[in-house]
Amino acid sequence: MAEIYNQILKSTVSRSIIYDVFFKKNSIKKPLVIFCHGYKGFKDWGAWELVAKEFSKNNYFFLKFNFSHNGGTMENPIDFPDLEAFGNNNFSHELSDINRVLNHIKKSEEFESDVDLKNISLIGHSRGAGSVLIKASEDFTVSKVISWAGVSDFKVRFNEGSNEFDNWKKKGVMYVENARTKQLMPHYFQFFQDFKKNEERFNIKSAVEKLKIPFLIIHGSKDTSVLPKEGENLFSWSKFGEIQIIEGSDHVFKSKHPWQSKKLPEDLKKVVYLTINFLKKN
């Protein structure tokens, strides 16, 4: 089993991206699965490593990465040592990052004999699901797309017209406390400006309606961060979608950070195998 950690994808025009890959070294071309974390997420969060190993065990080439502006650094990809980068993140950066990772793997001689580029799937968790759905609607090389606890609407989250939004516009920055690290994490107003400039492109409903590929939605029935209704929205807009509700499960499918067990939580294991079965049958 090959497990390659903290590889750095450099760029002359943007911040570097750090990624991990997991696969069986058997010179058989394997379906490529790229996993995108959500808001305040990172590739090493919680049980994501065990998720990666489970896919690898089932003969997938699994790649997880940090978005370039997620607040991590190359030296410390866990947590958020670079809050300035975090504050300058936006959806344009995230979509560009997915594109960069995809192009890197497509051109990689190192992984050429291990990756089946005719079988590419994107998985997004939470906000990351919105980004992968837009990417999948634009890129015909993507074969399948999966939403884990995914959002259905970016626009509504800006809460335009509220006092909070007006203060953000006036000050140019607002801060959100990270409940775990206690950091005050900045959001610069450029985030909303980038959204407005690309509002049509960043409409998740439109993206889902355009999809002509198999699409799986998995959501926990007790998700309080992204309500199950959002998963139902995604399903209602899709021509090729299927939905699985995990009864009693939360936004992270009963995982947490740090995750110290060597086993996946049962709910997240269920998510992994629902996804693998979906990929196999499609």
Side-chain angles (χ1 to χ4, degrees):
M1 201 79 76
E3 296 170 9
I4 306 171
Y5 296 90
N6 297 334
Q7 298 300 290
I8 296 173
L9 177 52
K10 292 183 177 170
S11 164
T12 52
V13 292
S14 187
R15 294 173 58 83
S16 295
I17 291 170
I18 191 164
Y19 69 93
D20 307 331
V21 292
F22 299 75
F23 61 98
K24 281 184 186 173
K25 287 195 92 166
N26 53 13
S27 293
I28 293 168
K29 287 183 185 279
K30 292 163 277 292
L32 171 63
V33 176
I34 294 177
F35 174 78
C36 301
H37 66 74
Y39 174 60
K40 290 191 283 192
F42 45 98
K43 68 179 179 64
D44 300 301
W45 186 91
W48 294 149
E49 183 176 345
L50 294 177
V51 165
K53 289 179 177 181
E54 212 63 36
F55 274 89
S56 171
K57 217 162 66 181
N58 283 274
N59 229 27
Y60 290 88
F61 187 103
F62 191 94
L63 184 152
K64 58 186 175 77
F65 71 99
N66 278 0
F67 282 117
S68 61
H69 289 70
N70 83 318
T73 61
M74 300 305 106
E75 300 72 36
N76 181 10
I78 295 172
D79 291 335
F80 311 99
D82 192 345
L83 289 177
E84 189 65 15
F86 180 90
N88 280 298
N89 194 18
N90 57 47
F91 298 126
S92 290
H93 287 318
E94 294 196 354
L95 284 161
S96 172
D97 290 346
I98 299 169
N99 200 50
R100 283 168 60 197
V101 168
L102 255 176
N103 285 339
H104 173 65
I105 294 297
K106 285 174 184 175
K107 292 171 185 171
S108 169
E109 290 180 10
E110 183 184 358
F111 304 129
E112 194 177 5
S113 61
D114 288 294
V115 179
D116 179 3
L117 294 176
K118 292 189 174 118
N119 195 339
I120 298 171
S121 299
L122 303 179
I123 300 175
H125 176 251
S126 193
R127 190 173 96 183
S131 294
V132 300
L133 289 168
I134 292 163
K135 177 62 181 165
S137 75
E138 296 176 344
D139 188 333
F140 297 123
T141 67
V142 176
S143 318
K144 284 153 270 204
V145 64
I146 299 101
S147 162
W148 288 357
V151 299
S152 64
D153 190 337
F154 286 149
K155 182 182 173 74
V156 72
R157 287 171 162 77
F158 289 109
N159 209 9
E160 285 177 78
S162 66
N163 286 339
E164 186 185 44
F165 179 86
D166 291 342
N167 285 335
W168 184 28
K169 185 177 180 180
K170 191 171 157 188
K171 293 177 181 173
V173 62
M174 70 172 171
Y175 294 90
V176 175
E177 185 180 3
N178 185 316
R180 184 174 57 81
T181 67
K182 303 305 175 193
Q183 290 165 293
L184 287 176
M185 306 183 77
H187 292 265
Y188 296 120
F189 196 64
Q190 64 77 29
F191 186 44
F192 175 74
Q193 290 170 320
D194 175 70
F195 173 79
K196 281 308 278 185
K197 190 174 157 192
N198 299 282
E199 189 168 353
E200 196 176 324
R201 183 189 182 202
F202 296 160
N203 185 310
I204 298 170
K205 180 175 187 280
S206 297
V208 170
E209 287 172 342
K210 281 181 211 155
L211 286 176
K212 294 177 180 172
I213 56 173
F215 170 32
L216 175 64
I217 301 126
I218 303 180
H219 222 101
S221 70
K222 295 285 175 69
D223 188 340
T224 55
S225 301
V226 177
L227 298 180
K229 177 68 183 159
E230 299 213 45
E232 290 161 16
N233 287 342
L234 295 174
F235 179 61
S236 72
W237 301 328
S238 171
K239 298 179 191 76
F240 302 94
E242 58 181 84
I243 188 167
Q244 298 281 355
I245 302 294
I246 311 291
E247 286 302 326
S249 203
D250 59 11
H251 187 57
V252 287
F253 305 107
K254 300 288 175 74
S255 59
K256 62 181 181 177
H257 186 81
W259 184 257
Q260 285 159 335
S261 169
K262 288 189 165 55
K263 290 183 177 177
L264 281 167
E266 280 306 310
D267 284 7
L268 187 52
K269 189 173 183 181
K270 190 172 183 181
V271 168
V272 167
Y273 279 94
L274 282 169
T275 304
I276 287 171
N277 291 337
F278 166 80
L279 294 176
K280 281 181 178 170
K281 77 178 184 190
N282 289 290

